[in-house]
Amino acid sequence: MIQFDNVYKTYGRGQDALKNVSFTIDEGEFVFLTGHSGAGKSTLLRLVALIEAASRGQVIVDGRNLDRIRPAEVPFYRRRIGFIFQEHRLLPDRSVFDNVALPLVVAGHRSTEINKRVRAALDKVGLLSKERTSPRTLSSGEQQRVGIARAVVNRPQILLADEPTGNLDPALSIDILKLFGQFNDIGVTVVIATHDLELIRHQQHRRIALAAGQVAAIG
Ligand code: ADP
């Protein structure tokens, strides 16, 4: 599903953020991407989401070499991927509903379809009752759930999360991991970047560890 072959990423003339990275993640897998701050986790996720392009090597997602995706195709490619950030990046002056609806509005869906899908996504994250409220009034755990609802509303095949529990206490973090587990249970491939080894200590999922831009261990 996600394959890296000898991938390098260099920003500008700086050091390599990723060096000779190779691994495979199968369809329907749940994988933790671990490593200290600066190890290259965000860069790796950004390559999968085509937010950045590899400097060398090949990134293949669902059988497609991302090198060969034309700029005009990128928005369509990205619809198959849900991206969750540490800081949820919600619009504070829009309702929870509008925030989650945004990717569907951008994709040009009809309002009946938008209504149905947004409410289904909010229901999955347990926040249907908050659809008319402002994200400002929600707790940080609830805000992260809205971010997850927004990421899944396009029914992506792949969920990428960059330190999704970075701002949450341990109990809420476990809840968020369970939520990702529920999407994985219905077949979504999940990749979660985290530096928090304590949080995932009891998690059975496979791990890919990065250190200074290189794969240090693959579980
Ligand atoms: P992590 O997510 O593990 O903290 P990153 O992928 O953010 O690691 O960073 C890996 C390396 O790439 C770091 O040395 C970081 O400073 C560098 N880096 C990340 N993004 C950029 C950027 N946009 N421009 C220049 N250097 C960057």
Side-chain angles (χ1 to χ4, degrees):
M1 184 68 164
I2 302 174
Q3 185 184 336
F4 275 51
D5 289 331
N6 308 110
V7 171
Y8 289 75
K9 174 65 186 178
T10 313
Y11 291 105
R13 269 183 261 147
Q15 287 190 320
D16 291 332
L18 293 177
K19 273 179 265 186
N20 203 21
V21 169
S22 299
F23 64 85
T24 303
I25 295 174
D26 290 333
E27 187 171 355
E29 263 201 286
F30 187 131
V31 175
F32 286 113
L33 184 62
T34 65
H36 295 301
S37 177
K41 306 181 296 297
S42 303
T43 299
L44 192 155
L45 295 183
R46 288 205 292 262
L47 294 186
V48 177
L50 259 184
I51 296 167
E52 300 274 357
S55 306
R56 272 167 66 193
Q58 295 197 318
V59 180
I60 296 161
V61 178
D62 207 10
R64 296 192 71 183
N65 187 332
L66 300 196
D67 250 5
R68 311 232 172 96
I69 293 188
R70 286 178 285 119
E73 282 182 88
V74 171
F76 298 98
Y77 169 78
R78 285 217 191 104
R79 273 173 214 167
R80 296 148 71 191
I81 293 178
F83 207 111
I84 292 129
F85 306 92
Q86 176 174 346
E87 356 62 73
H88 43 72
R89 302 188 186 180
L90 301 174
L91 302 172
D93 56 343
R94 299 292 187 87
S95 68
V96 164
F97 181 97
D98 288 347
N99 268 280
V100 176
L102 198 62
L104 299 178
V105 173
V106 171
H109 287 280
R110 299 154 66 103
S111 62
T112 46
E113 178 72 11
I114 292 175
N115 259 309
K116 199 174 82 186
R117 288 217 208 174
V118 170
R119 305 191 88 234
L122 284 172
D123 191 33
K124 281 205 192 96
V125 303
L127 284 177
L128 193 49
S129 64
K130 308 271 181 161
E131 62 177 331
R132 291 287 150 216
T133 60
S134 156
R136 266 192 295 243
T137 66
L138 301 180
S139 71
S140 51
E142 288 172 331
Q143 290 177 349
Q144 192 54 293
R145 284 170 181 273
V146 177
I148 294 171
R150 184 183 51 189
V152 300
V153 78
N154 258 328
R155 299 184 190 137
Q157 296 160 296
I158 301 174
L159 272 182
L160 306 174
D162 195 356
E163 301 278 1
T165 62
N167 294 324
L168 305 178
D169 66 38
L172 281 176
S173 298
I174 294 286
D175 284 348
I176 292 291
L177 292 186
K178 281 191 194 142
L179 191 51
F180 282 112
Q182 287 166 18
F183 290 109
N184 181 243
D185 286 343
I186 56 169
V188 178
T189 305
V190 174
V191 185
I192 299 182
T194 181
H195 70 279
D196 189 350
L197 294 179
E198 184 55 31
L199 171 70
I200 64 170
R201 196 152 61 103
H202 300 296
Q203 300 277 328
Q204 302 301 316
H205 306 296
R206 200 158 75 88
R207 294 167 194 200
I208 298 174
L210 290 179
Q214 290 181 292
V215 175
I218 295 197

